[in-house]
Amino acid sequence: MARVYNFSAGPAVLPVEVLQEAADEMLDYRGSGMSVMEMSHRGKIFDGIIKEAEADLRELMQIPDNYKVLFLQGGAWTQFAAVPMNLMKNRKAAYIVTGQWAKKAWQEAGKYGEAVKVASSEDKTFSYIPDCSDLDIPEDADYVYICENNTIYGTKFHTLPNTKGKDLVADVSSCFLSEPVDVSKYAVIYGGVQKNIGPAGVVIAIIREDLITDDVLEGTPTMLKWKTQADNDSLFNTPPAYGIYICGKVFKWLRKQGGLEAIKANNEKKAKILYDYLDSSKLFRGTVRKEDRSLMNVPFVIGDKEMEARFVKEAEANGLVSLKGHRTVGGMRASIYNAMPIEGVEKLVAFMKEFEAANTAE
Ligand SMILES: *Cc1c(COP(=O)(O)O)cnc(C)c1O
């Protein structure tokens, strides 16, 4: 078996134990004589799988009882539309634009109402999080929207914005379950699971119950109305059953690691190894303002395109793959999600040191 260290931003690395367990259960899930992929989503076995997944997620995140957990499809992108469709009662919302994903969500919301850009960090290629302590949030805004961890640029909100009492909606795709969160500070938390939780095809949305109503924008598709899904415990139509099953295994794995406090400590340890090196290197440098750095996505550059391309290629030959940066930032990006072992980060830094030594003249 030749596993590589996979630094992809998503779909991304999953815990080996989870993959192994899924492999062991592939042909015969616990005596059922079939794979989870082949069984009815209305049957007793799958009912147990989805209920247990939800219970484990609730336990991990300490989700209060007045929040619903939905397992949805359509990627985070579909929620860019579902959020305004379900929440824009006044047809107005405030968006904080801190990267491509926030920008896409803001543009999408503009199709359904007035999406007011109340802050942005685009002036410096989204390399920081703007001060959101006293924003000009419209009185009649239905919600304030953030992308909490900016996958492409490697920034994270370490303090939530002051929403001036408005409901906060957060896309947490790339920081989902990376550290403990106080769910009660949010109205809606959602994310595609293919970054930090499971296989592509599942979106998890955690929504405060009072926001799940029939009062949605006219023309909202049945499938995008949260109430449709909530009333049917995410089984209105055929759910992404196999993906949910894998997510459930990852939740168990996270609990076994000691829960989100322990995961956070581990993530901080991993990120520190990489950032400390970046801060001391004469060849590589991080692209993000220090206080806004993400624990999950770490972009860095050399500043010489030819040398960057060679670095990515040589790293790959050394079993360190998917380090090419997003096309809008260039350079490199190491995504070091929950399932990236510390050894992977150590090996990356050791390789970067070697590369630096070989490519800098004394
Ligand atoms: C990847 C990503 C998206 C897009 O996700 P899809 O599931 O492909 O729609 C949205 N937001 C964030 C923060 C992401 O990292």
Side-chain angles (χ1 to χ4, degrees):
M1 186 180 72
R3 294 273 299 171
V4 292
Y5 289 116
N6 174 12
F7 295 92
S8 170
V13 57
L14 288 170
V16 177
E17 295 95 311
V18 166
L19 297 174
Q20 191 58 59
E21 226 182 88
D24 293 343
E25 292 173 348
M26 180 60 80
L27 296 184
D28 177 8
Y29 177 76
R30 303 188 186 175
S32 65
M34 61 178 95
S35 132
V36 172
M37 260 183 258
E38 302 168 292
M39 59 180 61
S40 167
H41 60 291
R42 308 268 175 222
K44 220 172 125 183
I45 299 175
F46 186 74
D47 188 60
I49 289 173
I50 191 168
K51 288 220 166 78
E52 202 166 318
E54 177 174 339
D56 282 327
L57 180 64
R58 283 186 176 277
E59 168 69 28
L60 275 170
M61 291 181 75
Q62 295 292 306
I63 300 174
D65 288 343
N66 63 325
Y67 284 74
K68 285 265 188 221
V69 173
L70 306 181
F71 294 95
L72 308 172
Q73 304 194 52
W77 252 106
T78 303
Q79 295 307 307
F80 294 172
V83 165
M85 284 178 158
N86 284 275
L87 296 181
M88 268 192 181
K89 319 292 176 198
N90 297 328
R91 297 230 176 203
K92 194 183 280 189
Y95 278 71
I96 299 174
V97 178
T98 52
Q100 293 293 344
W101 296 120
K103 192 172 175 178
K104 306 271 194 221
W106 166 65
Q107 287 167 336
E108 188 75 3
K111 293 185 170 182
Y112 303 101
E114 195 184 336
V116 183
K117 187 174 16 171
V118 291
S120 166
S121 52
E122 194 162 13
D123 60 333
K124 290 183 185 156
T125 330
F126 298 121
S127 59
Y128 68 103
I129 299 289
D131 177 3
C132 298
S133 58
D134 186 20
L135 298 174
D136 201 2
I137 293 164
E139 274 295 313
D140 54 346
D142 293 301
Y143 58 88
V144 175
Y145 183 100
I146 61 168
C147 176
E148 190 161 336
N149 184 79
N150 297 282
T151 324
I152 296 173
Y153 300 95
T155 59
K156 159 113 207 286
F157 280 85
H158 294 297
T159 317
L160 293 176
N162 173 3
T163 64
K164 312 236 166 125
K166 304 292 179 206
D167 284 330
L168 179 65
V169 177
D171 172 0
V172 299
S173 295
S174 50
C175 59
F176 226 151
L177 301 178
S178 63
E179 55 184 275
V181 288
D182 180 351
V183 175
S184 69
K185 289 191 172 144
Y186 303 78
V188 179
I189 298 177
Y190 79 90
V193 305
Q194 74 273 22
K195 306 287 162 65
N196 201 25
I197 302 180
V202 182
V203 168
I204 296 173
I206 301 161
I207 307 170
R208 211 177 61 224
E209 245 164 23
D210 61 285
L211 298 170
I212 301 175
T213 69
D214 284 314
D215 180 20
V216 298
L217 294 190
E218 205 184 313
T220 297
T222 307
M223 277 290 288
L224 295 198
K225 187 166 118 179
W226 290 333
K227 190 160 191 298
T228 307
Q229 304 289 353
D231 285 351
N232 291 279
D233 296 325
S234 305
L235 296 172
F236 170 71
N237 73 328
T238 318
Y242 196 79
I244 293 169
Y245 153 78
I246 300 290
C247 289
K249 287 199 180 301
V250 173
F251 301 153
K252 291 244 184 277
W253 179 80
L254 290 168
R255 291 189 64 180
K256 221 169 81 189
Q257 308 299 304
L260 299 189
E261 284 291 354
I263 288 293
K264 180 187 186 189
N266 198 44
N267 285 333
E268 284 174 341
K269 209 157 117 192
K270 286 187 292 178
K272 187 173 183 331
I273 294 171
L274 188 46
Y275 284 126
D276 279 354
Y277 170 63
L278 286 172
D279 289 342
S280 70
S281 170
K282 294 201 169 54
L283 186 68
F284 299 97
R285 68 183 166 79
T287 57
V288 167
R289 186 166 75 179
K290 278 188 191 174
E291 59 265 42
D292 300 324
R293 284 170 164 176
S294 164
L295 288 179
M296 298 281 98
N297 310 99
V298 183
F300 55 96
V301 295
I302 295 174
D304 172 335
K305 283 203 165 48
E306 179 281 322
M307 206 186 282
E308 286 170 346
R310 194 152 49 77
F311 171 81
V312 169
K313 211 170 135 205
E314 288 179 19
E316 192 168 320
N318 280 274
L320 305 161
V321 312
S322 299
L323 282 163
K324 194 172 185 310
H326 191 269
R327 60 188 185 283
T328 60
V329 187
M332 285 71 67
R333 172 179 50 177
S335 294
I336 48 175
Y337 294 122
N338 288 345
M340 170 60 64
I342 196 158
E343 294 77 25
V345 180
E346 286 167 347
K347 192 172 170 200
L348 171 62
V349 168
F351 177 73
M352 289 168 78
K353 284 181 180 164
E354 260 175 54
F355 189 89
E356 176 169 353
N359 290 280
T360 42
E362 278 310 315

